[in-house]
Amino acid sequence: MKYIAVFILSMVFWLLLTFSLTVPNLITGSVASALCSAFFARHYFSGVYKFIQPARYFWFMVYLAVFIVECIKANLDVAYRVLHPSMPIKPGIVKLKTTLKSDFARTLLANSITMTPGTITVDIIDDYFYIHWIYVRSEDPEEYTRMITGAFEKYIKRFAE
Amino acid sequence: MSDWLSILLYIQIGLSAVCLYRIIAGPTIPDRMVGIDIFGILVVGICAIIAIQTERSFILDIGIAWIILSFIGTLTLAKYLSGKKLNE
Amino acid sequence: MNEMITIIFICIGVLFNIFGCIGLIRLPDVYNRLQAATKCVTLGCCSILTGVLFHFGISGAGIKAIVAIPILFFTATVAAHALIRGTYRFGTPPDKRTVKDDYKEAVK
């Protein structure tokens, strides 16, 4: 099952990159994908059944829209801090707890935190994220957890857990 | 159209020169590595603009390969910084 | 019309790149520099690649640009994560204005 999933993914990637449907191209792609899945498939994909549940794709689209809006906000925020003459920064490293369990969901949450306004993930130890914040707006754990992960965690939980 | 693209291409190359300044003058070793990382991402933008200017699509392939190679290079530098062996 | 959209997207991308490089020069210590530069330069290059997509349309080159965008996002964020962690373990001191440091006791 794992092997088939990796084969299909790498085949789709190959077809997108070359963008032609001739016979030699298909043969080359399938040989390369078979090699990839034979060597690397045992390291990936703990739950393959997640790929065939349509509701997950809907929540992924919602997450993508939220993510793009947050990303543009992040860049305007950084531009404001960089261009301001006195540079209003107050950096610090805070620690917050996550409720997500699977590795894929945690990676996705860490990447989302890196692209949102003023935060970058430093490390993940057990259940705790360590986050460098360019302007620490609050010292209370519950409040900053809601500020940082509030926009993403509920959507990621719906499609990646 | 072509004039605009040339101007934007020159600006982008100038920004890579800014990264070179950070690589040469950075006060600590991590500063230089940040410069190398950002330089690798900027080159992808340069590749994309050249692909529009010359109407050839293979330059985008160079861009994709450059992303992956600069990623591997940055991971190696980060492992070196944190003082571990490379097989860990 | 497509030419206009292409130029607008590339202009936005180069503008964000300029912000990122100003941050790389002006901000005081390596953590803040990494933060500003990674965010702005990644979004800027993604915007330039979107411009490439509008120029070529749905063809071989346009699809390559679409494929490059998620690769760029994942590699840039993971590289930034690895670099900032390595920097902390290396022992670079944070800026004087740092108000809070929860990671110090986790490392030891």
Side-chain angles (χ1 to χ4, degrees):
Chain A
M1 193 67 189
K2 268 183 193 176
Y3 290 86
I4 296 172
V6 173
F7 179 81
I8 292 175
L9 273 184
S10 46
M11 190 74 189
V12 166
F13 186 66
W14 169 266
L15 287 181
L16 283 181
L17 273 186
T18 56
F19 208 66
S20 70
L21 277 178
T22 55
V23 174
N25 191 23
L26 283 178
I27 293 174
T28 318
S30 48
V31 169
S33 314
L35 281 178
C36 275
S37 70
F39 282 124
F40 301 118
R42 60 174 177 270
H43 299 297
Y44 298 118
F45 293 128
S46 49
V48 182
Y49 64 93
K50 289 173 191 167
F51 276 95
I52 45 177
Q53 292 174 341
R56 291 181 188 271
Y57 289 97
F58 170 72
W59 287 112
F60 178 70
M61 289 299 161
V62 176
Y63 161 76
L64 212 59
V66 173
F67 177 72
I68 290 173
V69 171
E70 287 286 323
C71 193
I72 293 171
K73 253 166 58 186
N75 282 275
L76 295 178
D77 180 74
V78 168
Y80 163 71
R81 294 200 191 289
V82 165
L83 294 180
H84 198 279
S86 64
M87 275 197 297
I89 62 171
K90 195 167 92 177
I93 296 180
V94 298
K95 169 182 175 183
L96 59 88
K97 193 175 188 330
T98 179
T99 56
L100 297 174
K101 289 285 178 284
S102 72
D103 284 347
F104 177 63
R106 283 186 183 181
T107 313
L108 217 51
L109 182 62
N111 279 0
S112 312
I113 286 173
T114 301
M115 294 311 284
T116 48
T119 51
I120 187 167
T121 313
V122 179
D123 206 348
I124 305 175
I125 298 175
D126 299 334
D127 271 353
Y128 293 98
F129 279 46
Y130 293 87
I131 288 173
H132 182 267
W133 206 354
I134 202 171
Y135 192 87
V136 179
R137 274 184 291 182
S138 116
E139 301 267 337
D140 178 39
E142 279 183 18
E143 200 174 346
Y144 65 64
T145 304
R146 192 167 42 78
M147 267 183 204
I148 294 175
T149 66
F152 298 114
E153 201 166 5
K154 50 181 185 287
Y155 299 118
I156 291 179
K157 189 176 272 185
R158 288 214 170 101
F159 78 85
E161 268 295 274
Chain B
M1 169 79 185
S2 181
D3 298 341
W4 277 88
L5 275 181
S6 303
I7 294 170
L8 293 172
L9 183 62
Y10 291 143
I11 293 176
Q12 190 87 1
I13 292 174
L15 292 179
S16 328
V18 170
C19 285
L20 279 183
Y21 165 75
R22 181 50 73 196
I23 293 173
I24 294 169
T28 60
I29 296 174
D31 277 310
R32 298 169 209 264
M33 293 183 179
V34 172
I36 294 171
D37 184 27
I38 303 305
F39 184 78
I41 304 175
L42 279 176
V43 168
V44 180
I46 295 177
C47 283
I49 297 180
I50 293 178
I52 294 182
Q53 232 178 8
T54 59
E55 295 283 338
R56 305 230 166 109
S57 67
F58 74 91
I59 299 177
L60 283 173
D61 287 333
I62 300 176
I64 293 176
W66 196 296
I67 299 173
I68 296 171
L69 286 181
S70 109
F71 172 60
I72 295 171
T74 309
L75 281 192
T76 314
L77 291 178
K79 280 289 182 192
Y80 157 70
L81 273 184
S82 59
K84 286 182 179 175
K85 298 279 174 10
L86 288 181
N87 58 5
E88 202 171 333
Chain C
M1 189 59 200
N2 264 351
E3 304 294 296
M4 274 309 288
I5 298 175
T6 306
I7 288 292
I8 288 172
F9 266 107
I10 295 180
C11 276
I12 293 173
V14 172
L15 199 65
F16 278 134
N17 283 351
I18 291 174
F19 289 152
C21 285
I22 293 174
L24 197 62
I25 293 294
R26 273 197 75 193
L27 287 172
D29 72 335
V30 60
Y31 304 99
N32 298 319
R33 273 178 207 144
L34 183 62
Q35 177 150 168
T38 305
K39 278 194 189 77
C40 281
V41 172
T42 307
L43 191 77
C45 281
C46 286
S47 179
I48 292 176
L49 286 170
T50 317
V52 174
L53 168 67
F54 274 104
H55 179 79
F56 284 107
I58 302 294
S59 66
I63 297 291
K64 264 175 213 163
I66 294 183
V67 172
I69 290 175
I71 296 178
L72 188 57
F73 258 107
F74 273 97
T75 56
T77 47
V78 174
H81 167 86
L83 260 183
I84 196 167
R85 184 168 174 274
T87 305
Y88 202 98
R89 301 266 166 133
F90 185 67
T92 311
D95 189 47
K96 288 192 295 295
R97 274 177 274 185
T98 303
V99 291
K100 196 166 162 47
D101 195 348
D102 283 343
Y103 191 45
K104 197 182 278 175
E105 57 261 32
V107 172
K108 281 176 186 153

